[in-house]
Amino acid sequence: MSVKKDKEMGAKGATTPSGGRSSRENMRWIAGLLITVIGVFATLAVLSYYFNWKNDYSILHNTLADVDNPRADKSIDNMCGSAGAWLGDLIVGHGFGVFGLILPILTALFGIRIISHRPRLLHRWALSSLLVMILGSLSLALGEIAFGVETLIFGSGLGGELGRSVAIPFGETVGEAGAALILLVGWILTGVFINSNFINTVNHAGEVVADSSMLVADKIKSLLARKPQKEGESEEESAEEDGDVESEVERKVITRDGEEVDPATLPQEEQSPAPEVVVKRVERKDEGEEEFVEIDLSEPKPEESATPENPEKPAAEGEQPTSEEAKAKVIVVEEHKEKTVSEKSVDKRLYDPTRDVHNYKRPPFDLLEEYPSNSKVTTEEITSNQNRIEETLANFGIPIREMKATIGPTVTLYEIVQEQGVKISKIQGLEDDLAQSLKALGIRIIAPMPGRGTIGIEVPNRDKEIVPMRSSILSKRFQQFKGELPVVIGRTIQNENFVFDLAKMPHLLVAGATGQGKSVGLNAIITSLLYRKHPSELKFVLIDPKQVEFSLYSKIERHFLAKMASEEEAIVTDAKKAVYTLNALCIEMENRLELCKKAHARNIIEYNEKFRNYQLNPENGHRFLPYIVVVVDEFADLIMTAKEVEGPVMRLAQKARAIGIHLIIATQRPDVRVITGGIKANFPARIAFRVMQMVDSRTTIDQPGANQLIGRGDMLFSNNGEITRVQCALVDTPEVEKIVDFIAKQNGYPSAYPLPDYEEAGGDSMGSQGSDLGGGAPMKYDSLFAEIARDAVTGGQISTSYIQRNYEVGFNRAGRIMSQLERAGIVGPQSGAKPREIKFYDLPSLEAKLQDLGVA
């Protein structure tokens, strides 16, 4: 804090002791008013000149002719009189033409700024207006010259005499094309100038304001260090000695009852004693901080005054302060605010999970075949079927009031409206009779159609249309679908591509007899996901007991497949390994749920969103979580071979959907022993290809209908009880092979996505010493434990598959030995795809450890 004497009663805008304005302020106000009046007068004169220029121009230039203008009085029409006509002719006719109006408007605004105590700076809007005026005048003049306009408005043209005098030599020098090009560049640069912050003196944040603040600070320092005024010395002489101090105009503020009051309206006795505080906000250019200068214009209390010789020491009792000290007290207060950065400088880049395989390209569409189809449902076929349906129903006493047909790729839907009083159940019992009359393979009656008030009869077409996967993938509906796991599987009866989000299903049950298109449907689902997802976003776990359905996908192991770290092959074909893989997925599910719990995220979408925004620390175990789609083919064979597979399937179906693990289970024998009630409860989305018996249809989709399909990809899609008939898209084996070959040729990850190793608890021992008994009993180690431990230390690495190959043991025993090595502290825990750490570096220390364990 520093006390300062101010000769001018504070800053600009301060009042005199009598409460009136200073002479400097009065002159400023009068000048601003005069400029404003001149600007408004000129603006009105120019506007009037626009409409009355012919008569005024002829009078001013003595060109009035009675033939052209029959008026005899020869009076000026401008609303501002002769002076206005002369001024309008000067600005518009002899100046800038139509754009000359900008000049008086700027003059009026400049005067208003002076009256309102705002800085008289050449702001960006003023410079922009002047540029527009000059370019506009030149452009209009060049346009009139180029088009040969003879009759010139305002006597000199739309661009004014000044614009025309510049345009003529300018056009002769660079030509019309060059002039047009230069003007175009000028307009573009002017537009950029208008939209860019080129002059930083606007809005109290520019260089002029920064310089002003530095000037105020320097003057305050000089005044604080100034000697006291000599006796008899006038204020003007003192000002000449120390330099005139003039800061930016500031407003005197008096607050009464929470509201600002104009000091001039107060009584004389209330103006001077009231504390007057002026706060000036300036910004330091070098530091970006703000300085607040408070000026208290009230007389300081005697006990709080300071002597000029010692500003920090209070004046002695009875000592009167000088007149300058009584007039003003300046307090400089610096408020330090926390520094901030501009919003544009903040790094808003999100974590990119695709950066590890950033050059990955999705398969091109030309890898898929376009199957031409010459089959077309003719009008004769539709008319014939309508007549037969109507005739058959009439034979059974069911009159039809209305009928319409919807043609699909495989079947045609005939919607009928029966007469009143006819029961729907009566029509439902005529399926076989209608099929006989139509000579169709099988028809399906939908009574009633949901939300339509009609009865649907689906009749197979004579010539079935093939739905190529290429057209489905290229469809706008699929390409613009916003789901997390978009799948297009075929076309509906309305010939619309059927697209759904697997993440919202959240699991899918597929059933169908052999040869009815079940495997093609699975390939269509996988192909859809391969065309839409990046390897970092999606992983597949493929379980194929038949060993031949998914073997093609082994080529994309490093891109899209997941497997246990101890497994060599990514495609699971063994029933026991399938159980271990599903249990490993359960462990992965628990790990993911734990990560979501720590991150306070309810699902994988929220978790990955936080990870992309760098809200989760990888050092705490957090990682980007890809979706995992588990595809199990021939589930009936798998559950017959390994009954325990139902347990992990049930766990995954119940809990895994929230953290991005989704199941697709396919079976060709959908009986209750395979599709149990627990599985059906967690698989609300189901696909039923053709089955042989009605009971199988009821087991799959809880209603008949699948037994009446025609095969070859004809299917019913059931989601929460809503049935949709779809013709599955055809994707053949050569197409799948082209797709996987294209993906396999690209750079991928070092290995498949690692799943945690699963070790069966309480299994039978494959060695001579049994297994871990648990329950406090001493640890019993495998007979090969010591030998494998020595081999691990000598070779520097060990894995479950290494034990299987070199010691000819099964998977269970190899996993159990690896678990024993980890519990004994000889090897470290599994860490993704990385090899396990060997914690002993020489055999002597290992032998000592083995002796402690009792297996030396």
Side-chain angles (χ1 to χ4, degrees), residues 164-359:
R164 195 173 186 83
S165 62
V166 175
I168 292 175
F170 180 61
E172 293 176 352
T173 303
V174 298
E176 294 182 358
L181 182 62
I182 294 174
L183 283 177
L184 178 61
V185 174
W187 281 111
I188 293 174
L189 294 177
T190 302
V192 173
F193 179 76
I194 292 173
N195 293 327
S196 303
N197 189 18
F198 290 98
I199 303 179
N200 293 326
T201 58
V202 187
N203 297 328
H204 309 289
E207 295 180 359
V208 174
V209 177
D211 294 338
S212 300
S213 65
M214 296 177 64
L215 179 62
V216 171
D218 294 337
K219 293 299 181 181
I220 289 175
K221 291 179 181 178
S222 63
L223 290 175
L224 292 175
R226 193 176 60 182
K227 296 180 180 180
Q229 182 178 343
K230 298 178 181 179
E231 184 177 357
E233 184 180 17
S234 64
E235 294 183 0
E236 288 76 8
E237 294 173 348
S238 178
E240 291 175 359
E241 181 179 346
D242 295 328
D244 188 16
V245 179
E246 181 176 349
S247 61
E248 289 295 335
V249 177
E250 296 180 348
R251 185 166 54 92
K252 178 180 176 183
V253 179
I254 296 181
T255 304
R256 172 174 292 179
D257 298 330
E259 298 181 355
E260 293 185 2
V261 180
D262 187 359
T265 62
L266 295 177
Q268 182 69 25
E269 61 275 5
E270 295 186 18
Q271 292 185 10
S272 180
E276 303 164 359
V277 178
V278 178
V279 179
K280 179 174 178 60
R281 177 188 296 264
V282 295
E283 182 178 343
R284 291 188 178 179
K285 183 178 179 181
D286 53 344
E287 298 180 359
E289 297 179 353
E290 293 184 343
E291 178 180 310
F292 298 88
V293 180
E294 295 188 2
I295 304 176
D296 188 355
L297 302 181
S298 62
E299 290 191 5
K301 296 180 181 180
E303 61 272 18
E304 295 178 356
S305 302
T307 61
E309 292 77 13
N310 189 4
E312 298 181 357
K313 180 179 179 180
E317 185 176 357
E319 184 180 351
Q320 297 296 329
T322 64
S323 59
E324 292 297 330
E325 294 171 353
K327 290 180 181 178
K329 179 181 180 182
V330 178
I331 303 175
V332 179
V333 181
E334 290 191 4
E335 179 179 343
H336 296 277
K337 290 189 176 182
E338 184 179 356
K339 296 181 179 180
T340 59
V341 296
S342 63
E343 186 177 354
K344 294 182 180 180
S345 64
V346 178
D347 189 3
K348 296 182 179 180
R349 292 177 298 175
L350 303 180
Y351 169 77
D352 184 11
T354 66
R355 62 184 182 183
D356 293 334
V357 193
H358 64 280
N359 292 326

Side-chain angles (χ1 to χ4, degrees), residues 9-29:
M9 295 300 295
K12 277 194 225 175
T15 59
T16 61
S18 61
R21 290 179 179 269
S22 64
S23 59
R24 185 185 298 273
E25 285 303 304
N26 290 334
M27 293 298 297
R28 177 192 182 95
W29 189 87

Side-chain angles (χ1 to χ4, degrees), residues 10 16 26 69 92 102 123 159 230 239 252 265 316 345 388 403 425 454 515 536 581 594 603 620 645 650 678 812:
T16 61
N26 290 334
N69 192 343
V92 178
I102 296 176
H123 289 269
K230 298 178 181 179
K252 178 180 176 183
T265 62
S345 64
R388 290 183 180 181
M403 180 185 298
S425 58
T454 60
S536 63
T581 301
E594 185 66 24
N603 51 53
N620 296 332
V645 76
M650 290 286 295
N812 290 350

Side-chain angles (χ1 to χ4, degrees), residues 822-855:
E822 180 180 345
R823 294 176 184 175
I826 298 175
V827 300
Q830 179 67 34
S831 177
K834 298 179 181 179
R836 291 178 181 263
E837 177 188 3
I838 307 299
K839 297 187 176 182
F840 288 84
Y841 301 99
D842 53 14
L843 288 177
S845 59
L846 175 65
E847 293 297 336
K849 177 66 174 179
L850 294 177
Q851 288 182 359
D852 294 339
L853 297 174
V855 292

Side-chain angles (χ1 to χ4, degrees), residues 314-532:
E317 185 176 357
E319 184 180 351
Q320 297 296 329
T322 64
S323 59
E324 292 297 330
E325 294 171 353
K327 290 180 181 178
K329 179 181 180 182
V330 178
I331 303 175
V332 179
V333 181
E334 290 191 4
E335 179 179 343
H336 296 277
K337 290 189 176 182
E338 184 179 356
K339 296 181 179 180
T340 59
V341 296
S342 63
E343 186 177 354
K344 294 182 180 180
S345 64
V346 178
D347 189 3
K348 296 182 179 180
R349 292 177 298 175
L350 303 180
Y351 169 77
D352 184 11
T354 66
R355 62 184 182 183
D356 293 334
V357 193
H358 64 280
N359 292 326
Y360 174 79
K361 296 181 180 179
R362 291 181 172 85
F365 300 116
D366 55 9
L367 298 179
L368 298 170
E369 297 291 337
E370 185 68 53
Y371 298 98
S373 179
N374 297 325
S375 61
K376 186 176 181 181
V377 180
T378 62
T379 306
E380 292 79 6
E381 180 181 350
I382 295 175
T383 305
S384 175
N385 288 339
Q386 286 180 336
N387 293 335
R388 290 183 180 181
I389 291 173
E390 188 174 358
E391 180 183 353
T392 302
L393 294 177
N395 292 335
F396 289 92
I398 303 175
I400 301 300
R401 187 172 61 189
E402 183 183 345
M403 180 185 298
K404 67 176 181 178
T406 303
I407 303 173
T410 305
V411 298
T412 299
L413 174 64
Y414 297 89
E415 295 184 58
I416 63 173
V417 179
Q418 77 279 21
E419 292 289 348
Q420 293 183 357
V422 179
K423 292 184 177 180
I424 294 178
S425 58
K426 190 174 182 181
I427 301 177
Q428 287 178 320
L430 299 177
E431 283 186 358
D432 295 336
D433 299 282
L434 288 172
Q436 182 183 11
S437 175
L438 296 170
K439 299 179 182 179
L441 177 63
I443 67 170
R444 175 171 170 261
I445 296 179
I446 309 170
M449 293 284 292
R452 297 190 183 181
T454 60
I455 297 175
I457 301 176
E458 295 176 345
V459 180
N461 299 332
R462 294 174 186 173
D463 297 322
K464 280 71 176 176
E465 180 183 354
I466 297 176
V467 178
M469 192 67 190
R470 179 189 176 98
S471 63
S472 298
I473 292 291
L474 281 170
S475 65
K476 183 177 180 181
R477 183 186 295 267
F478 176 68
Q479 292 298 329
Q480 295 183 354
F481 191 74
K482 301 299 183 182
E484 294 294 324
L485 296 175
V487 175
V488 58
I489 200 169
R491 290 186 197 165
T492 63
I493 293 178
Q494 290 78 20
N495 260 323
E496 297 177 349
N497 288 281
F498 187 76
V499 185
F500 63 91
D501 185 5
L502 181 61
K504 293 183 178 179
M505 292 297 105
H507 310 293
L508 188 60
L509 177 63
V510 183
T514 303
Q516 303 304 316
K518 179 168 44 57
S519 297
V520 175
L522 294 178
N523 286 328
I525 294 174
I526 296 175
T527 301
S528 300
L529 295 173
L530 291 178
Y531 266 92
R532 282 294 300 270

Side-chain angles (χ1 to χ4, degrees), residues 104-132:
I105 292 177
L106 287 179
T107 304
L109 294 177
F110 186 72
I112 293 174
R113 292 184 69 87
I114 295 177
I115 295 175
S116 60
H117 294 170
R118 300 180 66 183
R120 287 88 62 199
L121 303 175
L122 218 59
H123 289 269
R124 179 164 54 91
W125 60 265
L127 293 179
S128 302
S129 301
L130 293 175
L131 288 175
V132 170

